[in-house]
Amino acid sequence: MSDISVLGIFVADVSFSGPKIPAVGETILGNKYNVGPGGKGCNQAVAIARLGGKVNFISKIGKDDYGQLALDTLKKNNIDIKNVLQDENLQTGVAGILVDKNSGKNAINVIVGAPSSLKISDLDNQIKEIKNSKIFLTQLEVPKNVTLHCLKTAKASGCITILNPAPASEITKEFFSNIDYFTPNETEAEFYTGIKITNEKEAKQAVDKLIHLGIKKIIITLGEKGLFYSDGNEEIYLKANSVKAIDTTGAGDAFNGGLAFGLSIKKPIRECLEFANKVAGISTTKLGAGDAMPFIKDI
Ligand code: ADP
């Protein structure tokens, strides 16, 4: 049994790095391209495994070249693959990523592929595994009824639940009461609260609004500005580590992986946040998402 279960998707990230992100209708000459492992769920699982966590990844892939990339990536990172379903009639997901090499910022189009057909009834064994985990971490890339069912099951079984609400999309009230930690970035926090976040004060306003919705603990990640945490009582603001960021793809995933790992070894919240902030900062100094997740020796 694993300490941490992650439900989410794998996609092959096809990324193009260049002097800027092209505007609509524009063609530019880039510098480098790379095909590597991505998908928020898979990136978060890789981050946890590289930190030394025992992680179970729950997902669905096709039986194609990118599906093989998924299996190779998981095996290479010592991640249990018995809960990854494979369907030869479906495509493994792909993401097209445009990276500005000067700022490390990106624009992404994700084709979810196989996991978009995930059903609760496919997941009997996976749900047993969730019940026996300490931590359950997920995002909003698989069908929402599956996400909610797994969150509810995890919560009812005493797991600590983390929802990284990405990409941001409407969720019902039922979600809120089943989330211990909610980890939006600034854009996602704005989606759920209507508050545009440019500083600590606005982050605090957004967090208060989310706490009123019934979520217990909120962490808004603020990119190169760091993060803001509150449980309605204790508030923690941490600046980002100063690093030379070349590609911020997957920074949020590194953060969520670091947080889940920290919680699984029962670190106090401030230490979990400092640790996750560091893991995420280091991930921005390498190109790619899954491949950019740091190892515990790098921290
Ligand atoms: P996402 O990748 O989901 O958009 P953010 O951009 O908010 O998430 O980044 C998540 C975390 O990654 C931040 O809270 C911070 O810890 C780290 N991070 C992101 N960008 C940088 C940067 N330029 N320098 C240092 N740390 C960064």
Side-chain angles (χ1 to χ4, degrees):
M1 285 295 166
S2 299
D3 288 341
I4 305 171
S5 284
V6 179
L7 166 70
I9 71 169
F10 168 90
V11 298
D13 279 353
V14 183
S15 65
F16 297 80
S17 177
K20 60 182 279 199
I21 294 173
V24 175
E26 185 184 22
T27 300
I28 63 163
L29 294 177
N31 306 87
K32 252 191 232 172
Y33 103 99
N34 182 57
V35 180
K40 293 178 195 298
C42 183
N43 296 339
Q44 295 176 11
V46 169
I48 294 164
R50 289 188 173 184
L51 295 170
K54 217 170 150 230
V55 57
N56 159 48
F57 181 50
I58 302 169
S59 193
K60 192 168 183 177
I61 56 176
K63 249 188 183 142
D64 45 17
D65 289 350
Y66 289 152
Q68 194 53 48
L69 175 64
L71 295 176
D72 293 346
T73 301
L74 295 166
K75 282 184 199 152
K76 200 172 77 190
N77 286 287
N78 296 315
I79 298 170
D80 203 336
I81 56 161
K82 69 173 187 295
N83 291 313
V84 177
L85 306 172
Q86 205 172 13
D87 186 329
E88 62 188 358
N89 298 314
L90 299 171
Q91 281 182 314
T92 303
V94 188
I97 306 183
L98 299 166
V99 180
D100 175 337
K101 74 172 174 132
N102 301 309
S103 67
K105 293 201 174 2
N106 59 52
I108 307 181
N109 182 343
V110 179
I111 307 296
V112 169
S116 59
S117 69
L118 265 179
K119 291 189 197 66
I120 296 169
S121 56
D122 296 337
L123 296 175
D124 288 346
N125 291 327
Q126 286 77 357
I127 286 169
K128 271 187 211 140
E129 186 102 20
I130 292 174
K131 287 182 181 167
N132 286 306
S133 303
K134 290 188 209 159
I135 313 276
F136 176 65
L137 167 62
T138 193
Q139 319 76 29
L140 293 176
E141 291 190 318
V142 306
K144 281 203 196 115
N145 64 323
V146 174
T147 307
L148 178 61
H149 181 80
C150 291
L151 274 170
K152 280 165 76 174
T153 308
K155 192 75 198 120
S157 316
C159 296
I160 296 175
T161 58
I162 309 172
L163 179 67
N164 174 219
S169 68
E170 226 47 79
I171 50 178
T172 57
K173 234 183 148 176
E174 216 184 345
F175 271 80
F176 298 130
S177 53
N178 287 291
I179 302 167
D180 291 313
Y181 290 87
F182 191 65
T183 60
N185 66 13
E186 292 158 298
T187 324
E188 290 143 11
E190 180 180 349
F191 176 89
Y192 291 103
T193 63
I195 298 169
K196 187 162 175 54
I197 300 162
T198 58
N199 55 38
E200 191 184 339
K201 189 168 153 246
E202 287 156 353
K204 185 175 153 36
Q205 284 167 354
V207 159
D208 288 345
K209 206 158 175 182
L210 290 165
I211 289 200
H212 270 108
L213 292 174
I215 304 171
K216 293 165 201 72
K217 297 165 187 184
I218 325 283
I219 303 161
I220 302 183
T221 60
L222 306 168
E224 72 274 10
K225 294 192 290 298
L227 66 97
F228 185 77
Y229 162 87
S230 175
D231 60 6
N233 223 342
E234 185 182 13
E235 286 175 1
I236 300 173
Y237 171 69
L238 294 181
K239 283 200 160 54
N241 288 283
S242 129
V243 293
K244 172 85 190 83
I246 58 160
D247 180 4
T248 62
T249 316
D253 297 332
F255 184 89
N256 279 279
L259 173 72
F261 177 70
L263 291 169
S264 77
I265 56 168
K266 299 197 159 57
K267 276 181 192 278
I269 185 63
R270 180 177 283 276
E271 279 178 43
C272 287
L273 297 173
E274 281 165 357
F275 181 74
N277 196 29
K278 210 166 195 180
V279 173
I282 297 172
S283 78
T284 69
T285 63
K286 295 190 197 113
L287 272 186
D291 287 336
M293 298 299 151
F295 291 86
I296 192 74
K297 64 173 169 35
D298 306 321
I299 312 292

